[in-house]
């Protein structure tokens, strides 16, 4: 059973930040609560104060700009992102990822900000955002700061968010020309969380077809979502072939630090990384060639 | 300390006083006596508690009642119009789209939202819309058949 | 068949309108005035002595009304095998020791669930740890910790089934295969968890509302545990949110709620949460199989030897029956000249293993149908051909065990053969696997109070022609209320909506053993048919006198008309006759009585359902993941009563069986189940469910009402083996221990590659 708490529903961001500053470790923030309420029901999390920010409409938006890319408010729901017309071309991978996230019900109420702040290494959004070179805007009474998504999660369910800070926005820059990004996760039941998740983004040189830039982001393969930088190095500056992608997959599997749990062994997770990096890379390449 | 909660359920406005930790499903079942919506788990995984909130299918066990302040909620009890069953309810009866019936309220809520949003979904889309609802009895295919029958116009409302 | 007016046609379930409108009130929904809420404290240790339980702090908590422990019970050891006291080994509220993680030690009743839960934390239990054992093979060793006093090497039950001489026959075989198989535990995962509302009145009588498969069992077991007269215990079954074999034994919610209510004279409600449901209710029996089969080169199966060791868990529960049945089903559906089965049920400090839909058959057929494909491959014989050649046939006797009357296997094979022809050649990495089965239609064995299985029913015709049908059969969602109402209406010659069924209340319903062992369509159905026939006879006698024909004619009733069978135009209205008959009987309503007990039908079942299933899978050889593409089932349940319900049972059973074969599992660590939540216990959802095609092969079962047999349990049998065979046919990976996971397939394929590489060298 959930332990009793004091409920606060600030009406503005400023109000919310003021409350966070006041209560710090005594409080928790609830947005969609799709992850938080499970923890509270099990009494793993028992705040004295619960700050409900779900009503802060100023944080609920999806804005696209021809030069700056997409800005997603932390309170945008997974469903809104899934259905957003802004998720096209280079951003279509975001809509696709959201479509396979949990269930319609969870997506209708859960927010992308809440998902990222939960710090689950198996989460779907983080690897995709990392592949898309996204950054996070974080606010507190002390001011604002930005941090790349790939630096945000520090350990299992632990993020770089300070007790008085709130995630306000996710910034996804416009992909460079000839960039393709794809994401795939492995699971046994269709809507299940990732046993292993892989996002790959490839940028090709115009005309040359040589890889100018590569990003390989792994989910559920380490204590945090991670970039397989050595594997990216395998692709950098080369012409991408199936063989090269397989090689990148093998390297990525050595960079991963997966665990063994009831879903899969660490060894098998490494095998999945190999396979998925090659497959997702191939899809990303096809998209880059069309872009 | 209890807080005031105002919401509309099945077209009827209510004013309640609830502890902040009250979940929406508890407010509906215990405070309003609407026991049609069930609970099947504590991990937000089974979907038996699905209701319609501001036109969206949501798991009422995973929403604080206070977060539904000012919202319009529809539960299974609000689907029929007096004695006139909703087409989905009639289809469920005809196609045997339920057996023990415990998941049915949630299934109907998910299905209704789908059809309100998209009157001509594909089979894939129908399966996606109820993927968050576990049924242990039917094997789902009869539910798909029932929803498809409504989509195909087998239950056109008589005007 | 068009000769029937009611049965064989699709109908709305009689409980349908309540369920689709949310107005059906389940045990889960019951709220009574002055009701208290209960919670159960359970052992966190797999094996320990209870030294002391201090409940004082909990009792002092504001809002707590009572706390009970084993000391507040009569110390009765409960068990469903009541005719065998040594198998009644479960106190439910443990008095001296706990035997698995989840074993109850105390229960609290409070003003609300929150207070009750806080109170549990305030109960101090002092345990002394005992060495525990989790693997049945370990538990059978001489030096293993003893779980129940006096039970040596923890061997709880043994069973042998034998005919012919397997050792001699193996010598005559041209082909022999010997393999090990393992079948995992599985959770029932009823959408409505176990629960009860108990109301012990000041008159000393107890009423219990509970989600159950058998009012009859719960009434007797509860009375025994509380030292009460059975007639003073009333069990009411509201609409039930599923059971699948988990709800015909006395459970902790029922017992603790009753005990607390007895103490307080207030209604007490206990609903188990999902974690308790996964860890502390009974589950499917995990089984270790050693199988040896032998055949002659012409494809005749000759001998089969099976040795099974089951992980019994902490108590006997219904595990003794599962042990017998798995050995019996291991012989079906083939004719073996010789057969030997040795089964051992071993106590372990794990969750008690009992009955889950199929009751030993899914395990037996997983092993049996896998090994048949394996030996068929050795003999270069087609998998359908070897099955067809050796299948049981109508009027076959399983030597000394059972007699089969109707058997539609031949028609099922024809259908599957046709289906596979139409499927044609499959693309790469796809395969079709076959499984078939025979399954009991009404377990005869009764170990409860008499050796006889029985059902009884009563029909009451009211003056307006409305019919009240009284039965003790339980509808747990499988649709027995509707099927029995249909049988009644058909026999009586009225419409389905003339029938009002009363099946929930032990005070009202005649005795019926309940919904397990696939017995209700056949056994309860026969009782209902007989009761309806009895009432019908009373009406036709009246009508006969009224029509006063010159020649002796048979009479019948159809569609509210009572008529001379050979001269149907000579008829009178059912409604008129009912009124006149009642008037002539001085206002007494017409009552018909019926009952059924199988006579001379052997120890297992009076009739058998059959089926053949083809499962198509597509395997991703790089990861081992497979997708279920389509499942085709040819099914023989005799006369179909409600076709919509039968299809629902085919599809639902297939889903449950498929889940048990590839994604459902309960991994554990030192007796602790690691995935006791629906988030971690994986089940098939709508996106995972493949297309299903089902066809009915019509047979007529003389023992069944209108020729009907069971549907819905036997269908869990073939899918595991069919999936294993399909995966093998697709990519050559043979998985012999469930669940068939991608990781196992991946490893098997890697091993195959490795072997191929070695051979090339």
């Amino acid at each position: 059973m959930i332990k009793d708490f004091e409920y606060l529903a600030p009406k503005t961001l400023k109000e919310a930040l003021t409350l966070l500053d006041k209560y710090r470790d005594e409080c928790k923030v609830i947005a969609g609560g799709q992850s938080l309420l499970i923890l509270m029901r099990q009494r793993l999390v028992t705040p004295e104060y619960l700050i409900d920010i779900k009503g802060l409409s100023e944080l609920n938006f999806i804005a696209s700009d021809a030069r700056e890319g997409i800005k997603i408010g932390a309170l945008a729901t997974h469903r809104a992102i899934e259905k957003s017309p802004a998720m096209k071309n280079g951003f279509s991978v975001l809509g696709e990822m959201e479509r396979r996230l949990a269930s319609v019900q969870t997506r209708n109420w859960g927010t992308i900000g809440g998902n990222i702040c939960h710090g689950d290494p198996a989460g779907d959004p983080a690897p995709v955002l990392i592949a898309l070179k996204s950054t996070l805007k974080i606010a507190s009474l002390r001011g604002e700061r930005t941090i790349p998504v790939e630096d945000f999660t520090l350990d299992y369910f632990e993020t770089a968010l300070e007790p008085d800070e709130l995630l306000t926005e996710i910034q996804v820059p416009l992909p460079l020309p000839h960039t393709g990004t794809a994401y795939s996760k492995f699971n046994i039941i269709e809507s299940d969380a990732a046993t292993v998740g892989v996002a790959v983004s490839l940028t090709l040189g115009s005309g040359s077809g040589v890889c100018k830039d590569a990003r390989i982001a792994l989910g559920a393969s380490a204590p945090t979502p991670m970039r397989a930088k050595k594997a990216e190095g395998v692709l950098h500056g080369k012409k991408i072939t199936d063989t090269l992608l397989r090689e990148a997959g093998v390297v990525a599997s050595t960079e991963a630090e997966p665990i063994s749990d009831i879903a899969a062994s660490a060894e098998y997770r490494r095998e999945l990384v190999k396979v998925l990096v090659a497959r997702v890379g191939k899809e990303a390449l096809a998209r880059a060639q069309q872009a | 300390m209890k807080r005031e909660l105002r919401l509309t359920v099945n077209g009827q406005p209510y004013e309640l006083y609830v502890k902040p930790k009250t979940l929406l499903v508890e407010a509906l079942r215990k405070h309003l006596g609407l026991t049609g919506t069930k609970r099947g788990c504590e991990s937000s995984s089974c979907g038996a508690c699905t209701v319609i909130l501001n036109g969206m299918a949501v798991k009422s066990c995973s929403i604080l009642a206070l977060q539904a302040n000012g919202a319009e909620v529809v539960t299974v009890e609000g689907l029929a119009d007096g004695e006139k069953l909703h087409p989905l309810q009639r289809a469920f009866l005809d196609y045997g789209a339920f057996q023990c019936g415990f998941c049915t309220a949630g299934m109907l809520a998910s299905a209704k939202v789908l059809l309100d949003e998209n009157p001509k979904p594909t089979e894939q889309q129908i399966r996606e819309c109820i993927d968050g609802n576990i049924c242990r009895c039917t094997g789902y295919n009869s539910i798909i058949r029932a929803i498809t029958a409504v989509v195909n116009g087998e239950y056109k409302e008589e005007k | 068949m068009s000769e029937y007016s009611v049965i064989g046609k699709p109908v709305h379930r009689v409980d349908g309108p309540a369920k689709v409108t949310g107005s059906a009130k389940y045990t889960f929904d019951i709220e009574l005035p002055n009701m208290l809420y209960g919670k159960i404290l359970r052992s966190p240790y797999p094996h320990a002595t209870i030294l002391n339980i201090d409940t004082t702090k909990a009792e002092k908590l504001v809002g707590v009304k009572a706390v009970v422990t084993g000391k507040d019970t009569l110390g009765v050891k409960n068990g469903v095998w009541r005719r065998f006291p040594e198998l009644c080994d479960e106190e439910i509220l443990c008095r001296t020791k706990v035997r698995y993680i989840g074993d109850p030690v105390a229960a609290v009743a409070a003003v609300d669930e929150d207070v009750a839960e806080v109170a549990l934390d305030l109960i101090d239990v002092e345990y002394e740890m005992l060495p525990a054992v989790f693997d049945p093979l370990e538990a059978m060793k001489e030096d293993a910790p003893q779980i129940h006093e006096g039970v040596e090497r923890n061997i709880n039950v043994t069973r042998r089934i034998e005919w012919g001489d397997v050792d001699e026959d193996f010598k005559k075989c041209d082909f022999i295969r010997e393999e090990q198989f393992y079948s995992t535990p599985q959770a029932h995962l009823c959408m409505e968890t176990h629960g009860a509302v108990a109301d012990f009145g000041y008159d000393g009588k107890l009423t219990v509302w509970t989600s159950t498969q058998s009012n009859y069992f719960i009434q007797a077991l509860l009375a025994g545990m509380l030292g009460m007269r059975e007639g003073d215990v009333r069990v009411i079954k509201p609409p039930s949110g599923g059971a699948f074999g988990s709800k015909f034994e006395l459970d902790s919610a029922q017992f603790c709620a009753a005990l607390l209510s007895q103490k307080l004279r207030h209604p007490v409600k206990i609903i188990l949460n999902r974690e308790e449901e996964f860890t502390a209710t009974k589950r499917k029996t995990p089984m270790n199989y050693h199988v040896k089969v032998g055949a002659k080169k012409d494809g005749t199966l000759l001998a089969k030897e099976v040795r099974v060791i089951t992980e019994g868990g902490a108590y006997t529960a219904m595990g003794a029956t599962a042990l017998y049945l798995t050995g019996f089903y291991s012989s079906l559906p083939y004719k073996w000249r010789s057969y030997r089965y040795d089964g051992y049920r071993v106590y372990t400090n794990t969750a008690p293993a009992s009955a889950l839909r199929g009751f030993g058959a899914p395990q037996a057929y997983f092993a049996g149908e896998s090994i048949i494909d394996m030996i068929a491959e050795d003999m270069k014989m087609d998998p359908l051909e070897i099955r067809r050649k050796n299948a049981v046939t109508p009027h076959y006797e399983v030597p000394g065990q059972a007699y089969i009357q109707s058997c539609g296997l031949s028609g099922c094979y024809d259908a599957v053969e046709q289906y596979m022809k139409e499927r044609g050649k499959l693309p790469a990495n796809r395969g079709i696997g076959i499984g078939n089965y025979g399954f009991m239609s009404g377990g005869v064995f009764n170990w409860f109070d008499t050796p006889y299985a029985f059902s009884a029913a009563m029909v009451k015709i009211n003056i307006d022609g409305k019919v009240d049908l009284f039965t003790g059969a339980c509808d747990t969602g499988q649709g027995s209320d509707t099927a029995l109402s249909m049988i009644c209406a058909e026999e009586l010659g009225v419409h389905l909506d003339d029938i009002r069924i009363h099946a929930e209340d032990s005070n009202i319903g005649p005795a019926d053993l309940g919904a397990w062992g696939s017995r209700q369509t056949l056994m309860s159905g026969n009782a209902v048919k007989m009761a309806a026939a009895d009432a019908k006879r009373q009406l036709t006698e009246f009508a006969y006198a009224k029509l006063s024909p010159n020649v002796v004619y048979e009479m019948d009733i159809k569609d509210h008309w009572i008529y001379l069978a050979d001269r149907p135009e000579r008829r009178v209205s059912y409604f008129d006759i009912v009124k006149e008959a009642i008037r002539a009987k001085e206002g007494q309503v017409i009552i018909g009585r019926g009952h059924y007990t199988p006579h001379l039908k052997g120890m297992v079942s009076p009739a058998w359902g059959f089926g053949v299933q083809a499962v198509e899978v597509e395997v991703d050889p790089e990861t081992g993941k497979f997708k279920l593409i389509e499942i085709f089932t040819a099914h023989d349940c005799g006369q179909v009563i409600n076709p919509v319900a039968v299809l629902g049972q085919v599809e639902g059973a297939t889903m449950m069986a498929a889940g048990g074969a590839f994604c459902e599992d309960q991994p554990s660590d030192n007796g602790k189940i690691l995935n006791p939540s629906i988030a971690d216990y994986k089940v098939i959802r709508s996106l995972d469910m493949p297309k299903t095609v089902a066809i009915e092969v019509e047979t007529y079962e003389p023992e069944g009402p209108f020729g009907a047999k069971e549907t819905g349990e036997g269908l869990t049998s073939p899918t595991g083996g069919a999936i294993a065979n399909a995966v093998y046919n697709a990519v050559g990976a043979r998985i012999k221990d469930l669940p068939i996971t991608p990781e196992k397939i991946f490893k098997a394929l890697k091993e195959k590659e490795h072997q191929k590489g070695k051979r090339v060298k």
Side-chain angles (χ1 to χ4, degrees), chain A:
Chain A
M1 295 286 148
I2 300 178
K3 192 160 169 281
D4 279 309
F5 54 82
E6 196 63 51
Y7 175 81
L8 303 158
K11 295 197 183 48
T12 64
L13 176 60
K14 181 99 187 288
E15 246 182 83
L17 294 176
T18 308
L19 289 170
L20 272 175
D21 181 54
K22 180 172 177 193
Y23 292 115
R24 296 189 176 242
D25 287 318
E26 283 181 284
C27 74
K28 270 263 174 228
V29 166
I30 188 170
Q34 300 301 284
S35 306
L36 183 64
L37 281 176
I38 302 177
L39 299 176
M40 287 178 74
R41 275 199 300 260
Q42 291 171 359
R43 296 202 166 214
L44 293 170
V45 165
T46 53
E48 293 284 322
Y49 302 90
L50 196 66
I51 301 174
D52 183 1
I53 61 167
K54 189 83 158 94
L56 295 182
S57 50
E58 63 194 281
L59 295 185
N60 187 1
F61 61 87
I62 300 170
S64 69
D65 180 277
R67 278 172 304 125
E68 297 202 13
I70 294 187
K71 291 192 179 15
I72 306 174
L75 293 180
T77 63
H78 296 288
R79 187 72 163 163
I81 297 169
E82 179 192 342
K83 298 239 163 243
S84 168
M87 303 303 150
K88 61 176 191 273
N89 301 329
F91 302 111
S92 60
V93 62
L94 272 171
E96 289 155 9
M97 173 273 295
E98 292 288 15
R99 187 171 171 188
R100 282 199 69 202
L101 188 148
S103 62
V104 170
Q105 293 96 315
T106 305
R107 301 203 291 278
N108 274 330
W109 200 253
T111 63
I112 190 162
N115 181 291
I116 293 169
C117 291
H118 191 51
D120 185 351
D124 299 306
V128 175
L129 292 170
I130 290 172
L132 289 172
K133 303 181 179 159
S134 312
T135 51
L136 304 174
K137 192 156 91 170
I138 294 169
S140 69
L141 288 182
R142 299 174 279 120
E144 273 183 359
R145 62 183 180 112
T146 57
I147 179 172
V149 176
E150 69 197 77
D151 297 331
F152 185 66
T153 317
L154 304 175
D155 204 342
Y156 289 104
F157 305 100
E158 214 185 285
T159 69
L161 215 54
E162 297 291 336
D164 65 335
E165 288 183 319
L166 205 61
L167 172 68
T168 55
E169 189 177 290
I170 298 142
Q171 300 161 331
V172 190
L174 204 63
L176 294 170
H178 311 297
T179 299
T181 314
Y183 173 71
S184 181
K185 67 178 167 183
F186 181 92
N187 52 24
I188 299 178
I189 298 296
E190 280 295 304
S191 55
D192 214 4
T195 303
V196 163
V198 172
V200 177
S201 191
L202 297 175
T203 304
L204 305 176
S206 54
S208 66
V210 160
C211 174
K212 253 174 59 176
D213 197 9
R215 283 229 166 179
I216 299 175
L218 309 180
S221 308
T224 69
M226 59 170 275
R227 270 175 68 187
K229 291 189 174 160
K230 292 204 195 101
E232 292 170 5
V234 168
L235 302 175
H236 224 270
K238 309 239 192 32
K239 190 143 168 107
I240 309 284
T241 61
D242 284 348
T243 313
L244 198 65
L245 284 171
R246 273 198 294 274
E247 197 189 314
V250 171
V251 172
S253 75
T254 65
E255 294 180 79
E257 305 157 34
I259 56 164
S260 292
D261 62 14
I262 54 178
S265 69
E267 190 196 315
Y268 182 59
R269 283 194 157 98
R270 285 187 203 276
E271 297 294 333
L272 291 173
V273 168
K274 285 183 200 167
V275 174
L276 284 181
V277 165
R279 285 186 183 173
V280 178
K282 190 163 174 159
E283 175 63 31
L285 178 68
R287 292 182 181 194
Q289 286 163 342
Q290 283 167 11

Side-chain angles (χ1 to χ4, degrees), chain B residues 21 29 35-36 38 40 42 45 89 93-94 98-102 108 127 131 134 136-137 139-141 145, chain C residues 12 19-20 25-26 29 114 187-189 274 477 647-649 651-652 664 679 684-687 689-690 692:
Chain B
K21 69 173 186 171
R29 286 179 52 86
T35 58
K38 311 295 181 200
E42 290 88 42
S45 320
Q89 290 170 309
L93 285 170
D94 287 342
F98 63 91
Q99 291 180 25
C100 82
F102 209 74
L108 286 167
R127 285 186 184 270
D131 195 67
I134 294 182
R136 199 52 168 160
C137 297
Y140 306 101
N141 290 349
R145 288 192 290 271
Chain C
H12 285 185
K19 286 179 176 174
V20 300
K25 288 253 183 286
Y26 297 74
D29 302 318
D114 282 357
H188 303 79
L189 215 156
R274 195 47 79 175
L647 181 58
Q649 287 297 302
E651 295 176 334
E664 296 185 40
I684 292 177
R685 293 167 180 264
S686 62
L687 282 174
M689 187 66 189
T692 47

Side-chain angles (χ1 to χ4, degrees), chain C residues 461-467 492-495 497-499 539 542-543 546 557-562 571-583 590:
Chain C
I461 307 181
N462 301 290
I463 195 154
D464 65 344
K466 182 85 180 181
V467 180
L492 202 43
V494 299
H495 296 173
D497 62 12
D498 291 314
I499 312 291
L539 292 179
F542 239 86
K546 196 160 177 84
I557 311 181
K558 238 182 183 47
D559 194 25
H560 299 138
W561 288 105
I562 309 179
R571 64 188 197 175
V572 281
S573 150
Y574 159 85
F575 295 106
D576 290 343
I577 292 296
V578 166
K579 286 196 179 69
E580 289 182 34
I582 289 176
R583 240 182 267 133
I590 314 284

